[in-house]
């Protein structure tokens, strides 16, 4: 009988967020991104790491984001796109 256990800690490290074509305050985007990504990871975990630690160099093939979003909304949508990539959607470069 297998034991379904969640990891005691999940660490997601983002080296840099590069936002070309957006006019939102980077500090506010970053704060909203972090809050939303933490929420999503707590709620859904990181499916790509279900079998143990995984390192991802890049996520590509994620949906485009509209340029006119507020900083808060841009951070949230960006976090959702990144979490989708960490859930196995898009292309992952190990």
């Amino acid at each position: 009988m297998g034991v379904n256990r969640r990891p005691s800690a999940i660490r997601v490290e983002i080296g840099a967020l590069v936002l070309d074509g957006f006019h939102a305050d980077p500090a506010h985007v970053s704060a909203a991104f972090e809050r939303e990504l933490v929420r999503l990871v707590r709620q859904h975990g990181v499916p790509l790491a279900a079998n143990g630690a995984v390192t991802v160099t890049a996520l590509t093939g994620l949906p485009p984001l509209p340029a006119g979003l507020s900083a808060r909304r841009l951070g949230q949508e960006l976090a959702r796109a990144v979490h989708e990539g960490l859930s196995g959607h898009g292309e992952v470069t190990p």
Side-chain angles (χ1 to χ4, degrees), residues 5-88:
R5 31 177 228 179
R6 295 181 70 111
S8 60
I10 296 174
R11 179 176 164 206
V12 177
E13 183 177 321
I14 308 287
L17 293 175
V18 179
L19 303 172
D20 290 329
F22 295 93
H23 302 289
D25 176 22
H28 287 101
V29 173
S30 181
F33 172 80
E34 185 174 342
R35 278 191 307 273
E36 182 65 3
L37 190 57
V38 165
R39 185 188 74 76
L40 291 168
V41 167
R42 282 186 179 149
Q43 185 172 358
H44 303 289
V46 179
L48 283 181
N51 295 323
V54 64
T55 299
V56 175
T57 301
L59 296 173
T60 58
L62 301 176
L65 298 173
L69 296 175
S70 69
R72 181 182 63 81
R73 183 62 188 243
L74 178 58
Q76 290 172 333
E77 292 300 321
L78 184 57
R80 290 175 188 147
V82 167
H83 190 265
E84 280 293 306
L86 295 174
S87 297

